[in-house]
Amino acid sequence: MPKIAILSAANQEYVPFLRVMLISTITTIAPDTQIAFYIIDDHLTPVAKQQLQSLVENAGHQLTFINVDAELFVNCPESDHINQTAYYRIVAPKILAKQGWHRVLYLDADTFIQTDVTPLALSSLHRNIIGAVIDPGQALTLERLGYSKTEARQALYFNSGVMVIDIDRWEDAQVSERTLDYINQFPERIVYHDQDALNAILASSTEMLEPRWNVQTSLIFQRHQPINQQYAQWYQAAIQQPAIVHFTGHDKPWNTLKGHPYTSRYLAVLNQDDGQPKIQMNPTIRVISATNSEFVPHLATLWCSIMTHNTGRHQYQFYVMEDHLTMVDRQLLERVARRYQVPVTFVQVDEQLLAQAVESARITKTAYYRILIPTIITDPAIDRILYLDCDFLCQTDLGALWQTALGDHYLAAVEDAGFHNRLAQMQVDYQSDRYFNSGMLLIDLAKWRAANISQQVVDYINQNPEKLRFHDQDALNAVLHDRWLALHPKWNAQTYMMLNEVPHPEVAGAKAYIEARQSPGLIHFCGHAKPWQGQSNHPFAPAYRYTQQLWQQQNYPRYRAMRDRENQGE
């Protein structure tokens, strides 16, 4: 009777999806194969572990939870759909070696098994350390990881979501240690997280398996050309009859993935009522922005970027502080939000409160609206809100930002990347000279209202117009200095930072800037140059334009035509 080991990893958020992987593996396994599942436990709750264990053991198999030293991964970059848990596979084979295993099949939690994996787990590796499947989008990119041209022609880049691992050879080659060393030594090379690092160490020691064993989303949609005729044949066979479906990328069957032939099957397993853990929706994330007609298209792009990176565990509510929007402007924003089933609330701002606000050619009174948010959103049940300028682009799920504990602070923000020394220049009596950028503000509404912060800021504006070089941002900092929580710069990755034009004066800050450039959460196209204005050297300008197309293709021609008619007085 064959006995195989299968390894995976999950945090609490991924429990429902891990469950689908387990069910699909168990229901397709050969009757005489015994499975010993090992799950790397990233803070799973006792209830979740008990339910998963019951699921496996009731089917006649075994499940063991294992722990790794999370401190080993503190320098590992993360993104919206790749968190620290993904790196844990790097050291897991060392743990299984101590359990007496010589081989293990690693499966990502977002895989969906369609056939018996026994032949995969027992397949010949021909003296290689691992067996894996080509990554169609990165197949010929090993040079960026440090391979020579000759070496890169002799090996292929693999996807690490499905790996057959020869544990003895892995240990002999010290793969865990070398992979972690690579991450620490070459952080600038890491784009695809642990997968890049594993390829840097293992690509030349990999048995390339047929693509049907790891049919990635990009392969299903045929986004990349096969590298040769053999792979063209394998790709077609894999698409027609996948052995393992792997939902790679941001889009997943439980959030925004559309048109994938296995989405409905996946959701049927995910949502079946068998008493196992289901997706738990977290509290609604409320996002507010201020816009005039000029910036309506850019706000639409921001919304699309937020929703395409939503993992599906959050509901959203959008608020718009409107500066003389037209009916056509509102209709466009409503259509974009409706696509993602997000309610929109338009709110009016009393500009009389801002009558003395200093404006410029680039900064209008609309910029000051954020000061009044707690006086506009008055529902006591809404205890916090996330303000975003319209020139942002989201690159990750906002759940981690939204759940930030504010403590005694009135808001959380990111230090301004210009380091203008504004507090001293405004003659503010401060303890810390940190000065925040006001493009992203996570606001504690209750604390703000209780201290009447809006009125304090308005008073400062009225009494100190000559000091407001950076308009609302100066006034907010003058009042809230030393009373705001500094966030990682990835939550407001400003243009200075992304282009590395202004170095951070502190060692820790410089490291955080590198991390933000590698894996930004919210990109802020601040300054004069914008990605929608001709050519831009910003590294995320192409990502902006791609996101812009998500709503423009269907809505923009009609919007422009209606705006033109509106401007002509029709």
Side-chain angles (χ1 to χ4, degrees), residues 224-443:
H224 308 285
Q225 291 296 316
I227 60 172
N228 56 39
Q229 188 57 39
Q230 176 64 77
Y231 267 96
Q233 296 173 3
W234 278 339
Y235 280 7
Q236 287 305 312
I239 292 168
Q240 292 172 9
Q241 195 168 5
I244 298 177
V245 176
H246 187 188
F247 295 106
T248 49
H250 306 99
D251 297 322
K252 305 293 186 183
W254 57 84
N255 58 31
T256 55
L257 184 61
K258 306 294 182 185
H260 194 293
Y262 283 84
T263 294
S264 59
R265 295 191 198 180
Y266 187 93
L267 292 177
V269 178
L270 180 66
N271 296 320
Q272 69 185 41
D273 187 12
D274 60 359
Q276 294 300 322
K278 301 293 190 298
I279 300 175
Q280 299 296 316
M281 297 299 293
N282 287 327
T284 299
I285 296 178
R286 304 179 190 278
V287 180
I288 190 167
S289 299
T291 187
N292 54 23
S293 288
E294 179 186 354
F295 272 82
V296 162
H298 313 308
L299 179 57
T301 302
L302 168 61
W303 286 358
C304 286
S305 71
I306 290 172
M307 297 314 298
T308 54
H309 290 89
N310 179 25
T311 60
R313 293 181 292 278
H314 304 282
Q315 295 174 329
Y316 276 83
Q317 166 81 54
F318 291 146
Y319 295 84
V320 180
M321 294 182 289
E322 53 173 308
D323 180 5
H324 303 91
L325 298 187
T326 68
M327 180 183 69
V328 174
D329 292 329
R330 295 189 198 96
Q331 287 176 344
L332 171 67
L333 293 173
E334 287 170 344
R335 281 198 299 273
V336 172
R338 190 160 52 243
R339 172 181 175 179
Y340 299 104
Q341 299 181 317
V342 177
V344 180
T345 301
F346 293 92
V347 294
Q348 303 293 323
V349 178
D350 182 2
E351 286 194 355
Q352 289 302 312
L353 297 171
L354 303 169
Q356 299 183 52
V358 178
E359 299 181 67
S360 70
R362 195 169 61 88
I363 303 296
T364 65
K365 200 159 289 184
T366 316
Y368 291 86
Y369 286 5
R370 75 198 78 189
I371 294 167
L372 305 177
I373 291 172
T375 69
I376 298 168
I377 308 301
T378 57
D379 184 347
I382 302 176
D383 59 357
R384 65 172 52 193
I385 201 162
L386 175 63
Y387 171 83
L388 292 174
D389 275 351
C390 295
D391 56 355
F392 268 80
L393 185 72
C394 181
Q395 291 292 287
T396 190
D397 184 276
L398 294 179
L401 171 61
W402 181 254
Q403 293 165 6
T404 300
L406 297 180
D408 295 330
H409 303 97
Y410 292 96
L411 59 81
V414 170
E415 188 174 13
D416 191 271
F419 304 106
H420 305 288
N421 197 28
R422 291 297 299 145
L423 295 179
Q425 292 170 9
M426 290 188 290
Q427 299 177 317
V428 172
D429 185 14
Y430 58 85
Q431 294 179 353
S432 168
D433 63 356
R434 286 188 182 274
Y435 171 92
F436 62 81
N437 181 282
S438 63
M440 185 284 295
L441 305 172
L442 181 61
I443 300 172

Side-chain angles (χ1 to χ4, degrees), residues 516-552:
R517 284 192 288 272
Q518 290 174 341
S519 186
L522 285 166
I523 298 163
H524 189 183
F525 297 101
C526 48
H528 297 278
K530 304 293 185 184
W532 58 84
Q533 295 173 335
Q535 296 298 315
S536 171
N537 66 338
H538 195 290
F540 281 85
Y544 185 91
R545 290 190 283 269
Y546 170 80
T547 307
Q548 197 173 40
Q549 293 173 3
L550 294 180
W551 68 267
Q552 278 193 351

